[in-house]
Amino acid sequence: MSGLQGESWIWIFEGDEKVAIDTFSSMDFHQIKSSKHGTLVQRVIEILLLRYKVNVYQTPKLEAHEES
């Protein structure tokens, strides 16, 4: 059996852009990731900043299914 109880994820799509918010790389924090440098990821971050502390890093750690 693989996987951990408590993992969470959400995918947000708009056109050909996809933003992932997940705990796959760290069970302590959610990560916001996008393989494109589009506007959707910036809008998601701006909305989350209204309620949460968000640290923005230039190079996200992408999962295997996100690299394509």
Side-chain angles (χ1 to χ4, degrees):
M1 180 178 270
S2 63
L4 298 172
Q5 295 293 326
E7 290 177 342
S8 68
W9 71 92
I10 184 170
W11 291 344
I12 303 165
F13 294 92
E14 183 175 79
D16 65 343
E17 291 185 65
K18 173 182 159 186
V19 173
I21 302 173
D22 65 47
T23 59
F24 294 146
S25 298
S26 169
M27 290 303 292
D28 296 323
F29 301 100
H30 281 85
Q31 296 183 50
I32 305 163
K33 300 177 279 187
S34 177
S35 59
K36 295 188 176 226
H37 296 287
T39 60
L40 181 58
V41 69
Q42 187 59 42
R43 289 199 324 266
V44 168
I45 291 170
E46 288 170 0
I47 290 168
L48 290 172
L49 279 169
L50 297 173
R51 284 195 69 170
Y52 304 99
K53 179 182 176 187
V54 177
N55 294 320
V56 178
Y57 302 99
Q58 294 304 312
T59 306
K61 180 178 179 185
L62 298 177
E63 305 295 328
H65 65 276
E66 296 171 324
E67 294 176 1
S68 56

